[in-house]
Amino acid sequence: MQNYTKTELGKLEQIINQENGKAFLKNALQLTGCEISVNTMPAGAKLPFNHKHKQNEEVYIFLKGTGTMTLDTNTLDVQEGTCIKVLPDTSRTMEAKTELQYICIQAKMHSLAQWGLQDAELC
């Protein structure tokens, strides 16, 4: 039995051609502790809705481009290198000024019990 799972997304520029410009990794990698999506929005695109989560916090990691993210009533500029954590009950939407590429990681709030070297064992 193999103790890892691998998938190929291809070039990030091609993700824009997938449904809603998103590639979800939960099923592809058989994830059990989080959902991860790799996303591309074309210049000028805006998410067609605001949304919140019931129990999951999200982390957005921006890889390329520029845009804005509206969190409740605050609008923040985002660009390559911007990282934002959003709590579940926060309303969120996004708009791309230029083609925007980002990763979104979603996990249940307060579920991380150990991390980094606390969760490591030298072999």
Side-chain angles (χ1 to χ4, degrees), residues 12-27:
L12 292 182
E13 291 79 18
Q14 296 305 310
I15 291 173
I16 202 166
N17 298 322
Q18 296 186 32
E19 184 177 353
N20 296 320
K22 296 178 178 285
F24 289 99
L25 298 179
K26 181 189 176 300
N27 293 336

Side-chain angles (χ1 to χ4, degrees), residues 25-116:
L25 298 179
K26 181 189 176 300
N27 293 336
L29 293 175
Q30 302 166 9
L31 299 173
T32 63
C34 67
E35 170 65 287
I36 301 171
S37 63
V38 181
N39 307 268
T40 300
M41 293 174 65
K46 183 176 181 173
L47 292 181
F49 54 84
N50 286 346
H51 74 285
K52 302 179 180 189
H53 287 277
K54 295 176 183 172
Q55 59 183 346
N56 292 344
E57 64 186 11
E58 290 182 319
V59 174
Y60 292 83
I61 303 166
F62 293 89
L63 305 173
K64 180 182 175 184
T66 60
T68 58
M69 189 167 197
T70 302
L71 305 168
D72 290 331
T73 59
N74 300 308
T75 300
L76 308 174
D77 290 326
V78 298
Q79 62 188 2
E80 179 179 337
T82 300
C83 300
I84 299 175
K85 177 186 92 166
V86 183
L87 296 178
D89 199 35
T90 303
S91 175
R92 65 207 73 180
T93 192
M94 195 175 330
E95 186 169 357
K97 293 179 182 175
T98 64
E99 183 177 293
L100 196 56
Q101 295 175 354
Y102 62 96
I103 295 171
C104 180
I105 303 166
Q106 189 180 128
K108 185 175 180 182
M109 191 170 161
H110 302 298
S111 66
L112 187 61
Q114 50 190 3
W115 55 92

